Amino acid sequence: MMYDSTAPLLLTPVDKEAPSRVRRLRRLGIGLRPELAFDAFADRLAEITGAPYSMVNFIDENRQFFAGLHTPDALGGGSELTSAAAGDTAYRYMARDHGYCPHVIVRRKALVLEDVCDYPRFAGNPVVDEIGIRSYLGAPLIDRTGIALGTICVVDVEPRPWGRAGLETIKAMAAELIEQIHRREDGGI
């Protein structure tokens, strides 16, 4: 099967909420730099799901920023995601048209892709060829104002049967992180 890279199925969805999201993220003081709390959350998310990569991702009009990131210690810097874990903040950024989190933001619903190659809309995404991503599980971070601030997600370079349990886990973890963000905003953290 051949994929036409200009086909509408492969386009990243229009995100009309992006300007409001950026203003909200700035008010909260998040999404511009890596944070130990978000890295710790990503580590815990990876441990709970058994995924080699996990992220706390905030998205603006043009790019995604991994404020929290977990990558396997065993990898020696061969991928963009692994380089990000080494502390180079430049590698914590990804173009908005790469990956699946922008779809989750616009859909405002969790997304389960056990094998991205099974979905023509997602199989042609640059992360498949450039990074080797084969499975994805992500959920939106919708705050008390109703704005989808970003996502949490886990990915693997192998197909993964996330199933119903994976979906429930990612949704519960997203709710937990939003509560942490709200406590932080309220001065509790």
Side-chain angles (χ1 to χ4, degrees), residues 51-104:
Y53 300 96
S54 65
M55 291 136 251
V56 174
N57 187 11
F58 297 108
I59 301 170
D60 65 21
E61 295 98 331
N62 303 307
R63 61 187 181 177
Q64 305 174 64
F65 178 69
F66 305 125
L69 181 64
H70 172 88
T71 64
D73 294 333
L75 296 177
S79 77
E80 286 183 44
L81 294 176
T82 303
S83 297
D88 185 347
T89 57
Y91 284 102
R92 286 189 182 242
Y93 289 96
M94 183 180 288
R96 193 176 165 282
D97 63 349
H98 284 52
Y100 310 107
C101 290
H103 294 271
V104 172

Side-chain angles (χ1 to χ4, degrees), residues 85-150:
D88 185 347
T89 57
Y91 284 102
R92 286 189 182 242
Y93 289 96
M94 183 180 288
R96 193 176 165 282
D97 63 349
H98 284 52
Y100 310 107
C101 290
H103 294 271
V104 172
I105 284 284
V106 172
R107 291 167 34 115
R108 302 174 63 83
K109 295 191 315 189
L111 178 62
V112 179
L113 300 171
E114 294 182 343
D115 185 343
V116 298
C117 294
D118 289 343
Y119 303 89
R121 175 181 189 133
F122 299 114
N125 194 285
V127 296
V128 175
D129 293 330
E130 293 174 17
I131 302 174
I133 301 303
R134 284 294 300 274
S135 61
Y136 172 91
L137 177 64
L141 297 168
I142 301 174
D143 85 340
R144 61 174 62 136
T145 67
I147 294 174
L149 301 175

Side-chain angles (χ1 to χ4, degrees), residues 114-186:
E114 294 182 343
D115 185 343
V116 298
C117 294
D118 289 343
Y119 303 89
R121 175 181 189 133
F122 299 114
N125 194 285
V127 296
V128 175
D129 293 330
E130 293 174 17
I131 302 174
I133 301 303
R134 284 294 300 274
S135 61
Y136 172 91
L137 177 64
L141 297 168
I142 301 174
D143 85 340
R144 61 174 62 136
T145 67
I147 294 174
L149 301 175
T151 65
I152 61 168
C153 68
V154 293
V155 297
D156 201 336
V157 295
E158 301 291 332
R160 290 282 298 261
W162 303 111
R164 171 71 59 195
L167 176 62
E168 294 306 319
T169 297
I170 202 76
K171 289 165 58 177
M173 294 294 290
E176 180 182 317
L177 185 57
I178 278 295
E179 284 305 312
Q180 288 178 20
I181 291 169
H182 289 161
R183 282 194 307 273
R184 174 181 167 159
E185 180 180 29
D186 296 339

